């Protein structure tokens, strides 16, 4: 092997080593950034694809659509929602938890898909077991009224579609209040 061939071979090996080192550094950096991005949600106990946001408006920006709210809003519930969560980005879903003004009162949850025909992601719905169900209506639309266990607690749940979008209202309070909220739910307009 001549000196020129040895120099060429040495240069080629050095280039391969540099590319391998660059690939390792890029991979390690991507993994570290991904772990750091997931850390706040993990520390807060949130599932990876569900995260809390500060407001209904931020949830609408995240999913890229106006979200429905009930026109009938019981005076016993505090506004704004105590908790707003989203699953996914554009075209995702949102969940609002309304806390009662009286700490002893029951909360209400409103969950909804932002895209017609799309389901509400299971991670947003939580672990649910249906105990009983019956057919009903929300205005002219068919609906299901069910008694469910959500993370071990019993809730009454109303499921229906509004403008083709999946909707769920849950309460541990009065069913009539839940039905009235569902009948009056609407969006303000396109975003």
């Amino acid at each position: 092997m001549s000196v020129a061939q040895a120099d060429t071979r040495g240069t080629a090996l050095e280039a391969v080593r540099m590319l391998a080192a660059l690939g390792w550094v890029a991979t390690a950096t991507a993994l570290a950034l991904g772990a750091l991005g997931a850390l706040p949600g993990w520390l807060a106990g949130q599932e990876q694809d569900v995260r809390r946001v500060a407001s209904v408006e931020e949830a609408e920006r995240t999913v890229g659509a106006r979200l429905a709210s009930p026109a009938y809003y019981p005076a016993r519930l505090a506004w704004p929602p105590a908790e707003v969560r989203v699953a996914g980005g554009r075209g995702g879903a949102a969940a609002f938890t309304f806390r009662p003004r009286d700490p002893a009162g029951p909360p209400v949850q409103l969950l909804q898909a932002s895209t017609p025909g799309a389901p509400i992601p299971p991670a947003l719905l939580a672990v649910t077991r249906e105990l009983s169900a019956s057919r009903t209506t929300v205005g002219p639309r068919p609906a299901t009224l069910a008694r469910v266990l959500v993370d071990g607690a019993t809730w009454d749940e109303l499921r229906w579609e509004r403008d083709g979008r999946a909707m769920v209202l849950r309460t541990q309070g009065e069913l009539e209040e839940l039905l009235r909220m569902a009948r009056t739910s609407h969006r303000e307009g396109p975003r």
Side-chain angles (χ1 to χ4, degrees), residues 55-163:
S55 65
V56 172
E57 293 79 15
E58 186 177 344
E60 289 179 330
R61 283 191 298 274
T62 300
V63 300
R66 285 278 187 197
L67 296 169
S69 296
Y72 167 72
Y73 191 78
R76 71 173 193 83
L77 296 175
W79 182 266
E83 181 180 65
V84 179
R85 297 176 298 137
V86 294
R90 287 231 179 273
F96 307 150
T97 300
F98 303 102
R99 300 270 186 241
R101 294 180 195 280
D102 173 6
V108 172
Q109 293 180 335
L110 172 62
L111 303 98
Q112 57 190 295
S114 67
T115 304
I120 298 171
L124 197 60
L125 288 168
V127 176
T128 305
R129 186 171 66 120
E130 189 171 277
L131 302 174
S132 64
S134 61
R135 295 283 176 206
T136 188
T137 59
V138 172
R141 293 173 292 280
T144 301
L145 183 59
R147 182 158 285 251
V148 296
L149 282 177
V150 180
D151 295 329
T154 303
W155 291 73
D156 288 310
E157 179 177 273
L158 182 64
R159 299 184 298 258
W160 80 104
E161 286 188 3
R162 175 140 192 101
D163 303 324

Side-chain angles (χ1 to χ4, degrees), residues 1-16:
M1 176 182 292
S2 72
V3 174
Q5 287 176 329
D7 283 343
T8 303
R9 189 172 186 198
T11 303
L13 284 173
E14 186 62 30
V16 168

